[in-house]
Amino acid sequence: MLVKLKIFRFDPQKDKEPHYQSFNVEANPMERLLDCLNRIRWEQDPTLSFRWSCGHGVCGSDGMRINGICGLPCQKLVKNFKEEVLIEPFPVFKVIKDLVVDLDPFLEKYHSIKPYLVTKTRPPEKERIQLPRSPEEQKMFEAAVRCILCACCTAACPVNQNPETKAYVGPAALVRAFRYLFDSRDEASEDRIALLDHKDGAWGCQTLLKCTEVCPKEIPVTKQIGQIKKRIYETKHKRSGGGETKR
Ligand code: SF4
Ligand code: FES
């Protein structure tokens, strides 16, 4: 089938303004949009810039906007696109070239929530075992572990898109915070709660659900952020017998 793509182009070394360029590509209906982008780069315009690595929804590096919705072109079959497909870089982030954006601010926010297991007690002789959970808790926890840091959720979040609230840490960082806050082996929940209990932390989420809609790993992002808020609230009330939460 013939696939038509209208692609955002911007080379800051040559262009004063961004523009769009249309390409036609012959593709098998079961190929992905990423295959079309690669064919354009290999056969029509080697200057087209975009990131990708695994080609199979694992590395999270090829996030972009497809017909206005943040997603991974390696997961989009061309047979599902009958009209011309609009391909643009993520919003929120600065464009470096064409579809490549600067993800440094995203990674800085991610690192700010301590995205690693913190232990303070002496390690046991063997491994640290996670305590058993209820099947429901286990399901939620496993979903958080699936995150590939593609940034689709953060780019799609209207709070992150709003210049007035762009300091919000964003859904991807909160999914990782959830993963460690609810890990029975982690011994830094007090520190984590202090990091998340402010207007640009977990309380920055306005429950708009865009993150959950676009997540390519089907993580219940908004629900997990809600669990973090609940944990903050419960911890503070337990600690002070009715402490106030900064909002
Ligand atoms: Fe990507 Fe989903 Fe992780 Fe957000 S939560 S970074 S959309 S995998
Ligand atoms: Fe790795 Fe799409 S290329 S997730």
Side-chain angles (χ1 to χ4, degrees):
M1 63 183 275
L2 184 71
V3 185
K4 298 180 177 194
L5 298 112
K6 186 173 171 183
I7 303 180
F8 176 100
R9 304 298 307 265
F10 180 57
D11 179 349
Q13 296 196 329
K14 285 197 314 210
D15 304 328
K16 283 204 176 94
E17 295 289 334
H19 61 281
Y20 288 84
Q21 189 174 4
S22 294
F23 296 90
N24 293 337
V25 186
E26 273 300 332
N28 182 302
M30 293 307 286
E31 286 188 292
R32 291 88 34 87
L33 287 179
L34 179 64
D35 298 310
C36 297
L37 291 172
N38 273 328
R39 209 158 287 148
I40 292 169
R41 183 152 68 181
W42 294 333
E43 297 171 4
Q44 300 186 39
D45 185 349
T47 69
L48 177 64
S49 298
F50 55 95
R51 293 191 181 106
W52 75 285
S53 181
C54 70
H56 295 282
V58 178
C59 71
S61 63
D62 60 334
M64 56 187 69
R65 252 184 315 178
I66 300 160
N67 284 344
I69 299 171
C70 297
L72 305 177
C74 67
Q75 288 196 324
K76 306 286 183 200
L77 294 177
V78 297
K79 70 174 186 174
N80 296 323
F81 296 88
K82 305 291 178 219
E83 312 285 330
E84 185 177 61
V85 191
L86 181 63
I87 304 281
E88 297 168 296
F90 274 155
V92 173
F93 306 111
K94 188 178 155 215
V95 174
I96 295 174
K97 184 170 181 288
D98 298 335
L99 305 171
V100 177
V101 294
D102 179 6
L103 285 173
D104 281 355
F106 172 76
L107 294 170
E108 277 161 25
K109 287 179 179 177
Y110 170 70
H111 286 293
S112 76
I113 58 92
K114 299 194 185 209
Y116 41 81
L117 190 72
V118 177
T119 57
K120 296 173 182 172
T121 51
R122 184 188 288 270
E125 270 185 30
K126 288 190 182 167
E127 60 193 306
R128 291 182 193 269
I129 309 273
Q130 273 184 350
L131 293 177
R133 310 160 184 279
S134 68
E136 199 182 61
E137 271 180 343
Q138 185 65 26
K139 214 170 150 201
M140 183 87 103
F141 186 78
E142 282 171 4
V145 175
R146 286 203 300 270
C147 175
I148 54 172
L149 283 182
C150 65
C152 289
C153 54
T154 298
C157 172
V159 182
N160 282 125
Q161 290 173 6
N162 182 344
E164 287 179 20
T165 50
K166 66 176 186 182
Y168 168 46
V169 70
L174 290 172
V175 164
R176 196 53 58 104
F178 170 92
R179 184 245 176 281
Y180 289 107
L181 197 56
F182 287 84
D183 189 320
S184 62
R185 301 165 302 171
D186 192 82
E187 294 168 348
S189 62
E190 287 284 315
D191 303 347
R192 295 191 187 284
I193 283 170
L195 284 173
L196 299 167
D197 181 27
H198 58 92
K199 72 175 179 49
D200 295 324
W203 302 110
C205 170
Q206 297 176 12
T207 327
L208 300 172
L209 290 161
K210 287 288 171 199
C211 51
T212 306
E213 281 171 22
V214 300
C215 177
K217 306 310 274 189
E218 297 181 352
I219 299 170
V221 182
T222 317
K223 202 168 172 184
Q224 294 189 350
I225 298 172
Q227 293 286 323
I228 295 176
K229 290 174 178 170
K230 189 164 173 261
R231 171 65 74 91
I232 295 172
Y233 181 81
E234 287 172 351
T235 305
K236 294 185 78 170
H237 270 252
K238 204 162 138 193
R239 196 192 301 148
S240 66
E244 282 200 0
T245 299
K246 290 172 242 163
R247 296 200 60 172

